[in-house]
Amino acid sequence: MNVIVCVKQIPDPALPGELDPSTNTLKRDGKLILDESDSYGVEMALQLVTAAGGGEVSLVSMAPNDETSGLRTALAMGAAKAVLVSDSSLAGADALTTAKVLAGATKQLGDADLIIAGTESSDGYTGTVPEQLAEVLGLPSITFAKSIEISDGTLKVDRQTEAGYDEVTCSLPAVVSVTAGVVEPRYPSFKGIMAAKSKPVETVTAA
């Protein structure tokens, strides 16, 4: 089973955020870390591949300055490889543009059985990118997943609602956005951190 996870690399929320005075957008020119909300998606993907008995987890991301620090964290958790789209023309991109870019990045990795994303990023909070990504790719989408199971080629999701949860099924391939707490993300081991340094990260432009 092959799973692609969309991950966002963000400025460290423990540090004071700064705005670029020329654009009034968040400055992203320093080291970026893996968004905590996306660590749940990476862990969910790793568990699904293990349960399937084979396959791999790949990553797609969009970040400036060829930044890979956050991606290396996800690779250290156990993902196999990544595609990073880094292009100055994408600075300040809106949610739909981001979805289109991530859709293109997933195609660099070939066909996947499942694409996972966090419900929303910690520095944007639009909550729309996963659904837009599904629309661009022409795939079914299930949002706010609190549990995921795959059986006989069918995706089964408990979808979080205000009153509890809905039981939703759909065929694969599909796009799923997961909530925080869907699983407990693992900490990268020393062995995983060392291995991540040599795992392939393909950096491409928007073109």
Side-chain angles (χ1 to χ4, degrees):
M1 178 177 188
N2 295 318
V3 183
I4 295 175
V5 185
C6 301
V7 299
K8 190 171 186 182
Q9 303 176 93
I10 64 171
D12 191 339
L15 302 175
E18 295 183 62
L19 291 179
D20 184 329
S22 63
T23 61
N24 287 323
T25 58
L26 188 65
K27 292 182 71 172
R28 303 176 185 274
D29 51 2
K31 179 181 178 180
L32 303 177
I33 67 170
L34 177 66
D35 192 329
E36 182 180 3
S37 65
D38 290 326
S39 65
Y40 296 101
V42 174
E43 179 63 35
M44 186 77 256
L46 292 169
Q47 291 188 19
L48 288 171
V49 167
T50 298
E56 65 179 13
V57 175
S58 304
L59 312 169
V60 294
S61 188
M62 185 175 94
N65 306 320
D66 297 342
E67 177 61 38
T68 61
S69 297
L71 280 175
R72 293 295 175 189
T73 299
L75 291 169
M77 290 174 66
K81 60 181 182 289
V83 171
L84 170 68
V85 184
S86 189
D87 195 313
S88 59
S89 68
L90 298 173
D94 61 13
L96 181 56
T97 300
T98 300
K100 290 178 178 179
V101 169
L102 292 176
T106 64
K107 294 176 182 178
Q108 294 284 110
L109 290 165
D111 295 333
D113 300 294
L114 185 65
I115 299 174
I116 295 178
T119 296
E120 55 190 359
S121 64
S122 301
D123 63 342
Y125 289 107
T126 67
T128 60
V129 171
E131 295 73 45
Q132 291 173 327
L133 173 64
E135 180 67 19
V136 171
L137 292 173
L139 296 176
S141 169
I142 302 178
T143 58
F144 298 104
K146 65 188 292 286
S147 72
I148 300 175
E149 178 185 346
I150 294 174
S151 177
D152 298 326
T154 299
L155 177 67
K156 301 178 180 180
V157 171
D158 289 345
R159 183 181 183 275
Q160 186 74 52
T161 68
E162 291 183 359
Y165 65 90
D166 295 329
E167 296 178 345
V168 186
T169 63
C170 77
S171 59
L172 295 175
V175 177
V176 176
S177 64
V178 299
T179 61
V182 63
V183 284
E184 185 63 33
R186 68 193 69 184
Y187 288 101
S189 65
F190 178 74
K191 181 180 179 181
I193 292 170
M194 296 305 294
K197 294 180 179 180
S198 60
K199 289 182 178 178
V201 177
E202 180 185 5
T203 302
V204 298
T205 64

